[in-house]
Amino acid sequence: DIPLETETGRGQRSGASPAFRADVLEGLAQAQKVIPARWFYDHRGSELFEEITRLPEYYPTRTETGILMAHATRIGRMLGSTHYAVVEFGAGSATKTPLLLDAIWADAYVPIDISGEFLRESCEVLAQRYPDLAIHPLEADFTCPVRLPRETAGAGRLGFFPGSTIGNLEPYDATELLRSMRETLGTGSYLLIGFDRIKAERELVEAYDDASGVTAAFNLNLATRINRELEGTIPLEDLRHLARWNAQRSRIEMHLEATRDIAFEVCGRSVEMARGETIHTENSHKYDPRSAATLLLAGGWETLEHFSDPEGRFMVILARA
Ligand code: AVI
């Protein structure tokens, strides 16, 4: 068994937590109701997200995989013959990791994820495939600086943040996260990070409102989670999934919209929603090479090169601290 380190105090574990309660109660009291997207990922939410990544409409996962496959050798060459500790932020199921591990000299792998359960599963798979790799899973909230295991001290550091998860943060928070990653990894380290690119509105909206309704189920699962973990009485049948493009802010927004006037309770507090009112549940910001490079710079990272698919749907950027 691979030992799992938990960062108590700073990290937030999955399941009912005071932080979840505080975020939901505070968010539902605002004029535009809002719940941070990170609360999507309970066990069911993580499963539904895995399902999303296989949908025909959801191009980011397979496009990014294609980019990594096409450019892994070049990335490996740019990183040279240094031996690296690869630190993956929000590792989840870590399906893209082997593409990177096969292309560079990796001595250690440090996946950081808020869900210990998913971490454990993915580490076991990787341990079988890479018996010589030292794996140090860390159950922690990667938005805060993390102290890396002592054993990785001598190696070069490569941060890996695929999936365009950076897009789920507002630019200010994204910058803070990039700075925090820089603090975790140190000066001179590298970061390989995925960004979803700006494209036609129709393609973007379809990716977040698929015909089979998996993304709708993913969005609604947040309400189910609130009902289960926070003594909620949200009438699920009166909420519908909404995905829309906000051109001004270059992002897809997901909302849960009330289809009629409703009233419910969460942790004993009353909440009302008028018909048409929404709970804003997610932002997914889209970038172009310039706006991504600017964001990276603000976070302390200099872009070395960006790699895209031939259609320019997605990009993976190699940056240096
Ligand atoms: C995890 N994240 C990058 C996904 C995205 O595309 O913003 C989450 C997601 N939400 C709906 N579909 C996928």
Side-chain angles (χ1 to χ4, degrees):
D1 259 12
I2 301 161
L4 180 72
E5 273 191 50
T6 304
E7 287 229 321
T8 44
R10 283 188 300 178
Q12 272 134 17
R13 298 156 133 276
S14 52
S17 76
F20 181 40
R21 183 179 188 276
D23 278 356
V24 170
L25 291 180
E26 195 189 309
L28 291 181
Q30 290 181 33
Q32 168 61 69
K33 294 177 170 57
V34 60
I35 297 174
R38 65 197 179 107
W39 298 114
F40 276 138
Y41 302 93
D42 62 355
H43 188 77
R44 181 68 189 134
S46 301
E47 273 177 359
L48 284 165
F49 177 66
E50 288 301 314
E51 221 179 296
I52 287 175
T53 64
R54 293 190 291 269
L55 290 170
E57 296 95 331
Y58 194 76
Y59 59 85
T61 310
R62 60 175 173 278
T63 310
E64 185 179 46
T65 301
I67 294 170
L68 289 170
M69 279 162 62
H71 299 285
T73 310
R74 166 106 181 100
I75 292 167
R77 238 183 270 130
M78 289 181 77
L79 291 169
S81 55
T82 305
H83 286 234
Y84 286 94
V86 175
V87 179
E88 184 163 355
F89 298 96
S93 63
T95 43
K96 293 160 196 153
T97 319
L99 297 171
L100 183 60
L101 295 179
D102 289 343
I104 65 163
W105 295 97
D107 285 351
Y109 175 60
V110 186
I112 309 173
D113 201 285
I114 204 162
S115 162
E117 200 179 338
F118 262 74
L119 262 185
R120 228 168 269 124
E121 285 168 22
S122 57
C123 285
E124 267 154 33
V125 175
L126 283 178
Q128 277 186 5
R129 180 159 173 176
Y130 302 96
D132 296 332
L133 185 71
I135 302 181
H136 307 280
L138 210 53
E139 184 179 358
D141 175 2
F142 66 78
T143 60
C144 304
V146 172
R147 198 175 312 118
L148 295 176
R150 240 176 286 117
E151 297 89 318
T152 67
R157 260 93 192 254
L158 170 63
F160 187 40
F161 194 38
S164 69
T165 306
I166 190 82
N168 294 130
L169 300 176
E170 303 232 18
Y172 177 85
D173 294 326
T175 308
E176 291 284 294
L177 172 60
L178 290 166
R179 288 191 185 162
S180 158
M181 288 174 168
R182 193 181 197 277
E183 203 177 318
T184 296
L185 297 167
T187 317
S189 60
Y190 291 89
L191 178 65
L192 193 63
I193 178 171
F195 287 88
D196 194 13
R197 294 184 65 157
I198 301 165
K199 60 186 67 61
E201 178 170 348
R202 198 172 142 210
E203 198 181 347
L204 282 167
V205 171
E206 279 177 1
Y208 292 83
D209 194 6
D210 58 288
S212 50
V214 180
T215 310
F218 174 71
N219 199 4
L220 281 156
N221 179 59
L222 182 59
T224 307
R225 181 178 186 184
I226 292 170
N227 283 353
R228 188 182 60 243
E229 294 182 24
L230 302 176
E231 297 146 60
T233 60
I234 304 172
L236 301 173
E237 62 287 359
D238 298 324
L239 289 179
R240 76 174 183 109
H241 165 68
L242 205 72
R244 62 183 180 219
W245 173 240
N246 180 336
Q248 211 176 4
R249 307 192 72 165
S250 193
R251 70 190 189 196
I252 283 281
E253 295 180 0
M254 296 208 316
H255 294 255
L256 289 169
E257 185 190 40
T259 53
R260 61 180 188 90
D261 293 356
I262 53 174
F264 54 87
E265 287 196 352
V266 176
C267 292
R269 298 219 196 143
S270 308
V271 182
E272 287 180 7
M273 287 179 79
R275 180 175 168 215
E277 195 183 338
T278 70
I279 305 172
H280 187 176
T281 51
E282 187 180 57
N283 291 313
S284 195
H285 294 82
K286 309 304 172 190
Y287 289 87
D288 59 26
R290 276 181 75 149
S291 57
T294 305
L295 184 81
L296 282 163
L297 260 190
W301 297 91
E302 191 189 341
T303 294
L304 298 178
E305 194 156 335
H306 78 266
F307 305 94
S308 269
D309 54 303
E311 285 79 30
R313 285 199 176 97
F314 198 96
M315 63 194 159
V316 173
I317 293 183
L318 182 64
R320 188 157 199 204

